[in-house]
Amino acid sequence: MRAEGMAVLLLFLMAVSSGCIKVSNSAENGQLEVYVMLEDEGSIFDVSLFNITVNGVPLKATNVPVMVSTERPGKVSLHITGEVMNWNLDGYHLSESIRLTTPIPGRYLLALEVVHERGSFYIMEDRNFSGYVSRGQLQRLAESNEGAITAWIKRNLPYEKAPFQDELDKNRKLRAEYIKLWKDTGNISYLQAYRDLEYHLKTLGFLAKTGKLTAKGFEILLLSMKTTDYYYSMWNRPGRKSLVLVFSNESPYFEVLRIKKGPFRSHLPFVYYPARGFNLCPISALHWAQIYYGNGHYSSMLAILNELEQFAEIEDQNGTAYAVFYMYFPFQNSSVPWVSGYAQSMAVGMYTLAYNLTGREDYRTLARLFLNSFNVHFGPDVFIASTEYEP
């Protein structure tokens, strides 16, 4: 099944969740309500189009819970069927069964993740996100992304309301333009551009709804959104995998897309990931700083470290203060945000070198804070993959 199958597949929700979902009162009457949510992470970014049903109920969008059954508590069987298409428009059939043990009445949310392995796709349960939920939690998940972000800004960063609204207006216009191009031409690259453009909005919305959005996470995602919006206002084709953009005339690599006059000035690299747009990547930024140091370009190295420092989260665990750079783009099997051990170790080394060059105590303090991160427990979602040598 190739392009002809496109007609029978559902497009990802073109306008983010409307905020309307049916939450019944059965749970208050001793019944069990089962909701299913397809997550916007994992291998979903390898999927261009999907048509998935659970017990005959269609899942029309990611990160939106849908009620699929109301029944007596106990054993619940769910049958998942459908099709997905990759970005080459190759189709794959899905057929999975999941059995839940739900002994008490209430509302149960089953989170599903698309997995792509060895040339095939399948669906699996995300047990870290699945479980009993309240009516309020379901209603928050169903809220529109724009509404959730706006409410979060009002509570936490009221001075960001106007800048975010300005960027949201640009983003909304670009999304409308590219989804129309896709519908008019059938060219899948326009759909990929649309997915790139909606990624940061959907991620900001989901983090705001689930209480995981921080001020620095907001700034990182907003800058990444601005970069993606700028790219698609200038070029009408998706970036190639691992394309890097910088809003400066300087980079350690020749093939980087250098923008002298963009929406802002920055020494930091923004890396392209298909269906996720351009993203600020501390791993790449620290690598650039290392290259500059090795070449003796100390001012360029320090410029990157100074700019990157503002995105370091300073946290505390059981009395141990530590610093961490969170990543806000999905990579392999990671959830957002995730932590790179490589970036953490690079930060220790680079800020130590910055201290050696300048004698500035703030660099040494930051290096120690990053070093402390290796003495705290981040939880199961911090690692990309487990190996025979442990995660």
Side-chain angles (χ1 to χ4, degrees):
M1 181 180 65
R2 292 185 66 85
E4 64 272 14
M6 191 179 299
V8 300
L9 290 175
L10 293 172
L11 171 65
F12 280 84
L13 199 64
M14 294 182 201
V16 238
S17 166
S18 65
C20 298
I21 117 178
K22 181 182 178 183
V23 181
S24 77
N25 295 316
S26 303
E28 279 78 39
N29 299 321
Q31 295 292 303
L32 175 74
E33 298 173 8
V34 180
Y35 294 80
V36 175
M37 184 182 75
L38 186 64
E39 295 180 320
D40 199 53
E41 63 176 52
S43 299
I44 198 69
F45 303 103
D46 296 333
V47 173
S48 61
L49 298 159
F50 68 80
N51 179 15
I52 298 173
T53 64
V54 180
N55 285 8
V57 178
L59 305 181
K60 298 183 179 180
T62 56
N63 287 352
V64 179
V66 177
M67 188 168 73
V68 298
S69 71
T70 302
E71 48 197 280
R72 296 172 63 87
K75 301 288 185 180
V76 177
S77 295
L78 299 175
H79 189 51
I80 304 163
T81 59
E83 294 172 293
V84 297
M85 276 187 173
N86 63 17
W87 291 103
N88 293 322
L89 299 183
D90 300 315
Y92 299 83
H93 181 69
L94 300 175
S95 181
E96 309 283 347
S97 292
I98 293 179
R99 190 169 175 82
L100 303 175
T101 300
T102 48
I104 60 175
R107 299 178 176 90
Y108 190 93
L109 176 64
L110 173 65
L112 297 177
E113 179 181 351
V114 175
V115 180
H116 183 199
E117 288 183 351
R118 292 183 286 275
S120 65
F121 287 86
Y122 62 91
I123 297 281
M124 65 178 290
E125 176 186 1
D126 180 357
R127 295 186 178 181
N128 291 325
F129 203 84
S130 299
Y132 284 91
V133 293
S134 68
R135 183 187 186 93
Q137 286 173 314
L138 285 170
Q139 290 175 331
R140 281 193 293 276
L141 285 171
E143 186 181 0
S144 74
N145 290 317
E146 293 183 13
I149 300 165
T150 300
W152 183 90
I153 292 173
K154 184 177 180 180
R155 294 191 304 270
N156 298 278
L157 299 173
Y159 56 86
E160 288 283 7
K161 182 178 180 180
F164 174 75
Q165 189 60 53
D166 289 345
E167 198 59 41
L168 180 60
D169 290 343
K170 296 175 187 175
N171 182 269
R172 189 185 292 121
K173 182 179 178 181
L174 285 165
R175 281 185 284 127
E177 175 185 336
Y178 279 95
I179 205 63
K180 184 178 186 301
L181 285 169
W182 178 70
K183 293 166 89 174
D184 290 347
T185 67
N187 186 332
I188 200 70
S189 66
Y190 293 133
L191 177 60
Q192 185 175 334
Y194 173 84
R195 292 276 301 285
D196 287 338
L197 287 160
E198 75 166 355
Y199 169 72
H200 305 100
L201 181 66
K202 292 183 73 171
T203 302
L204 279 166
F206 189 71
L207 292 176
K209 295 173 197 179
T210 54
K212 296 180 179 179
L213 186 59
T214 66
K216 293 183 179 182
F218 173 84
E219 295 295 342
I220 289 171
L221 284 162
L222 182 57
L223 286 175
S224 299
M225 182 178 175
K226 286 181 176 180
T227 303
T228 304
D229 289 349
Y230 173 82
Y231 177 86
Y232 281 111
S233 70
M234 303 298 293
W235 293 273
N236 65 355
R237 62 186 183 279
R240 65 183 185 276
K241 186 177 180 180
S242 298
L243 173 67
V244 179
L245 182 154
V246 63
F247 290 109
S248 168
N249 195 35
E250 185 179 20
S251 81
Y253 294 105
F254 176 76
E255 63 273 17
V256 170
L257 183 58
R258 305 176 193 184
I259 308 298
K260 297 179 183 179
K261 295 183 179 180
F264 56 91
R265 295 284 294 171
S266 175
H267 297 87
L268 302 179
F270 290 80
V271 182
Y272 177 79
Y273 294 93
R276 286 150 285 185
F278 287 88
N279 291 273
L280 174 59
C281 181
I283 301 172
S284 297
L286 290 164
H287 175 66
W288 279 24
Q290 181 187 38
I291 297 297
Y292 283 135
Y293 177 81
N295 292 337
H297 298 161
Y298 302 133
S299 62
S300 297
M301 163 203 166
L302 294 174
I304 284 181
L305 295 178
N306 290 340
E307 190 174 352
L308 192 61
E309 180 181 352
Q310 66 184 303
F311 301 115
E313 298 274 9
I314 309 300
E315 301 179 350
D316 184 279
Q317 186 178 107
N318 299 324
T320 298
Y322 63 95
V324 60
F325 282 130
Y326 285 110
M327 311 295 157
Y328 285 90
F329 54 91
F331 183 73
Q332 295 186 14
N333 66 334
S334 65
S335 297
V336 172
W338 57 277
V339 181
S340 163
Y342 174 75
Q344 293 297 106
S345 61
M346 283 285 290
V348 175
M350 296 314 301
Y351 282 104
T352 299
L353 290 173
Y355 167 72
N356 291 339
L357 286 171
T358 66
R360 283 175 45 179
E361 283 294 327
D362 55 329
Y363 288 143
R364 183 165 70 168
T365 298
L366 196 54
R368 284 176 172 169
L369 288 169
F370 278 110
L371 183 62
N372 286 349
S373 70
F374 291 93
N375 296 320
V376 301
H377 176 67
F378 284 99
D381 291 336
V382 66
F383 299 110
I384 294 298
S386 296
T387 72
E388 59 181 304
Y389 306 105
E390 300 302 325

